[in-house]
Amino acid sequence: MAAATASVHYCAGYSSSAPYRMKRGRININPESQAPSSAEEGSKKHKGRSSGFRLGASWRQDTVQDWGNLPHHVVLQVFQHLSLVDRARASSVCRRWNEVFHIPDLWRRFEFELNQPATSYLKSTHPDLIQQIIKKHAQHLQYVSFKVDSCTESAEAACDILSQLVNCTIKTLGLISTARPSFMNVSQSHFVSALTVVFVNSKSLSSIKIDDTPVDDPSLKVLVANNSDTLKLLKMSSCPHVSPAGILCVADQCHGLRELALNYHLLSDELLLALSSEKHVHLEHLRIDVVSENPGQTQFHTIKKRSWDALVKHSPKVNIVMYFFLYEEEFDPFFREETPVTHLYFGRAVSKEMLGRIGLNCPRLVELVVCANGFEPLDDELIRIADRCKNLTAIGLGECEVTCSGFIEFVKMCGGRLTQLSIMEEVLIPDNSYNVEQIHFEVSKHLGRMWFPDMMPTW
């Protein structure tokens, strides 16, 4: 019902022949209209102050405003702060406001929300509004996202809209599933065909987020052929139809790439070397998701140290972020040599041995989050990380164990550079030197600010 109402308001404001409920009338601000008797009384009693009253009259004259004649740029600024529904309502006030409603600047950004009412609590963009945008504003769209729920119908609707954006000049495109795997359930040919329409027609794509989609190598080649000079950000984790060769094609030809997010199976020595070529602009962010699709059966390859070194030499400020969702027995290929990772997140249990390797081989580490470890104190591993990882500024520990003395030693070694310290209270094990009540004072002293253990995770 809300969507239908929104559509009615939108269409009323959208049509050039929309009824103008308010004529370009003047809004009179008249203080006397609120309390005429008291104003008259005051003027009689205080004749000596009549000049002040005349000033008020002058002010009333100056504040008579013709809202319909406000400059376009002023109305535009106001409209940019309104929701689409409120903007549509405002557009029906007068002809001038309706003209502003159609200014291309208001249609550069749009998020299509495509949800099935029976399965989603989220609002959905009304079909009539979608068709109006495609018909009148497709050529103005520059920053576009599609937010879909878990239903295949929603993802298919997104593909249908993409297929119609033949006159677009999109710079940013995001395909977002609020619940997986919607886009993966769409026919691959349907999805690729729709995406290719945008890749071919835009020719100025700068930022693309296509995680959890059936994008494939041929469609990436189309992307590169038409947008190689402009592409700066590409996020494509969990795209099983893309091969290492497909992502290598992007790195080889998109020399302006600044941010890249992908699954570990797409990472290769060749890719890192391509990102390190002289022609390539310095990479700023590289995100790698290390996920076990088939527990106990997935084989993970090893990246050579010289390939990592080449990347860091070419892009010395690059952030290398790794998210691990593995079982303990699957960590064997990682961090046996020095790895320039800066941010590490472990979503499942990780062994003491692995944390020990991090302390030895991750000198660029800035942030570490360990959601679980087990029931063996990590004192030695944390102290080694504090000693070797001189850039560490943030750490979070969940279901782990650290003695109070070991934790205080870790904090003392890191000192004030720890800007974020998120430790569950249950992690800290009292010993002969400190208990949990005493620890907040000692930690606060070394951090240089007040600190308390967390009651629940905040990372």
Side-chain angles (χ1 to χ4, degrees):
M1 187 60 142
T5 305
S7 175
V8 170
H9 283 302
Y10 173 80
C11 292
Y14 200 98
S15 172
S16 58
S17 60
Y20 302 113
R21 301 185 190 89
M22 292 176 57
K23 294 183 179 180
R24 294 168 58 188
R26 299 179 179 273
I27 297 177
N28 296 314
I29 301 173
N30 188 353
E32 289 185 353
S33 64
Q34 296 179 4
S37 59
S38 61
E40 289 171 8
E41 235 176 89
S43 64
K44 290 176 181 178
K45 288 182 180 179
H46 303 284
K47 293 182 179 180
R49 296 182 184 178
S50 60
S51 59
F53 186 78
R54 284 198 300 274
L55 180 63
S58 175
W59 176 81
R60 290 197 304 275
Q61 184 68 29
D62 291 341
T63 53
V64 175
Q65 296 290 335
D66 186 346
W67 293 96
N69 285 329
L70 284 175
H72 269 59
H73 72 275
V74 174
V75 182
L76 181 61
Q77 284 289 329
V78 173
F79 275 28
Q80 287 175 335
H81 292 281
L82 298 179
S83 68
L84 179 63
V85 173
D86 289 337
R87 196 187 301 165
R89 288 170 178 164
S91 72
S92 65
V93 167
C94 65
R95 187 178 303 279
R96 192 178 186 89
W97 286 19
N98 190 264
E99 290 171 358
V100 175
F101 184 72
H102 295 280
I103 291 177
D105 283 351
L106 284 177
W107 300 97
R108 306 236 186 264
R109 298 177 181 273
F110 195 84
E111 180 177 76
F112 294 92
E113 296 188 68
L114 306 168
N115 306 294
Q116 301 303 308
T119 59
S120 177
Y121 64 91
L122 299 172
K123 64 181 180 180
S124 187
T125 308
H126 197 277
D128 292 345
L129 172 56
I130 292 173
Q131 288 307 310
Q132 290 279 14
I133 291 171
I134 291 172
K135 181 180 178 180
K136 296 191 175 183
H137 295 294
Q139 70 272 26
H140 303 145
L141 294 173
Q142 292 186 2
Y143 309 94
V144 181
S145 62
F146 291 82
K147 185 184 289 185
V148 303
D149 59 11
S150 59
C151 290
T152 304
E153 292 83 358
S154 300
E156 288 176 340
C159 292
D160 291 339
I161 296 171
L162 284 170
S163 299
Q164 298 177 67
L165 299 181
V166 292
N167 296 319
C168 61
T169 55
I170 295 175
K171 295 181 179 179
T172 296
L173 174 66
L175 304 183
I176 304 163
S177 297
T178 56
R180 296 172 67 184
S182 49
F183 281 108
M184 291 303 300
N185 287 340
V186 175
S187 159
Q188 186 183 359
S189 60
H190 184 199
F191 178 83
V192 169
S193 174
L195 197 61
T196 300
V197 169
V198 177
F199 287 174
V200 168
N201 288 282
S202 289
K203 309 226 181 260
S204 59
L205 278 164
S206 173
S207 175
I208 307 173
K209 185 181 186 299
I210 46 176
D211 295 336
D212 301 301
T213 65
V215 63
D216 58 10
D217 290 358
S219 55
L220 288 182
K221 289 182 179 178
V222 175
L223 167 67
V224 169
N226 292 278
N227 302 273
S228 61
D229 294 335
T230 58
L231 189 63
K232 294 181 179 179
L233 181 150
L234 177 60
K235 294 184 177 181
M236 47 176 298
S237 296
S238 301
C239 296
H241 300 293
V242 175
S243 72
I247 192 66
L248 182 59
C249 170
V250 175
D252 271 335
Q253 299 186 50
C254 298
H255 298 140
L257 203 62
R258 299 291 183 88
E259 297 186 35
L260 179 62
L262 68 167
N263 279 76
Y264 186 80
H265 78 273
L266 296 178
L267 189 69
S268 64
D269 294 290
E270 292 78 13
L271 175 62
L272 294 180
L273 293 174
L275 294 171
S276 309
S277 67
E278 291 183 6
K279 294 183 293 184
H280 206 288
V281 172
H282 299 299
L283 196 68
E284 295 174 1
H285 299 280
L286 175 61
R287 170 175 166 157
I288 306 158
D289 291 344
V290 191
V291 182
S292 177
E293 301 292 347
N294 301 300
Q297 301 178 19
T298 306
Q299 297 294 320
F300 293 97
H301 59 286
T302 301
I303 301 296
K304 296 182 176 65
K305 181 179 181 300
R306 66 171 179 268
S307 303
W308 287 120
D309 290 344
L311 177 64
V312 174
K313 182 179 179 181
H314 180 72
S315 303
K317 295 183 180 180
V318 62
N319 288 312
I320 300 173
V321 184
M322 298 185 77
Y323 283 80
F324 281 89
F325 296 91
L326 303 182
Y327 295 93
E328 286 193 28
E329 62 272 13
E330 297 175 313
F331 280 104
D332 189 63
F334 300 98
F335 307 118
R336 291 196 169 277
E337 294 185 295
E338 188 172 295
T339 308
V341 63
T342 56
H343 299 72
L344 272 175
Y345 304 92
F346 293 97
R348 294 179 183 153
V350 58
S351 66
K352 280 173 63 72
E353 180 193 1
M354 174 57 63
L355 292 174
R357 286 192 223 164
I358 290 169
L360 289 174
N361 295 317
C362 300
R364 298 180 77 240
L365 190 64
V366 172
E367 183 174 10
L368 173 65
V369 174
V370 179
C371 291
N373 167 259
F375 301 101
E376 299 177 87
L378 300 176
D379 298 21
D380 294 340
E381 288 72 22
L382 286 180
I383 289 171
R384 182 179 298 154
I385 288 171
D387 180 51
R388 302 266 304 195
C389 304
K390 301 297 185 182
N391 297 316
L392 187 71
T393 60
I395 187 166
L397 298 177
E399 297 178 14
C400 306
E401 286 192 355
V402 183
T403 68
C404 288
S405 295
F407 180 62
I408 289 175
E409 181 63 22
F410 165 77
V411 174
K412 182 179 179 181
M413 294 176 69
C414 292
R417 76 171 188 262
L418 281 176
T419 57
Q420 184 173 342
L421 185 60
S422 180
I423 307 297
M424 296 285 290
E425 186 174 317
E426 293 79 2
V427 169
L428 302 169
I429 309 300
D431 53 25
N432 294 330
S433 301
Y434 300 97
N435 58 37
V436 176
E437 286 71 28
Q438 296 169 318
I439 200 168
H440 78 88
F441 173 77
E442 288 295 322
V443 172
S444 299
K445 181 175 66 176
H446 295 299
L447 288 179
R449 66 179 188 278
M450 190 60 69
W451 179 87
F452 290 93
D454 292 329
M455 300 303 294
M456 60 184 297
T458 57
W459 53 83

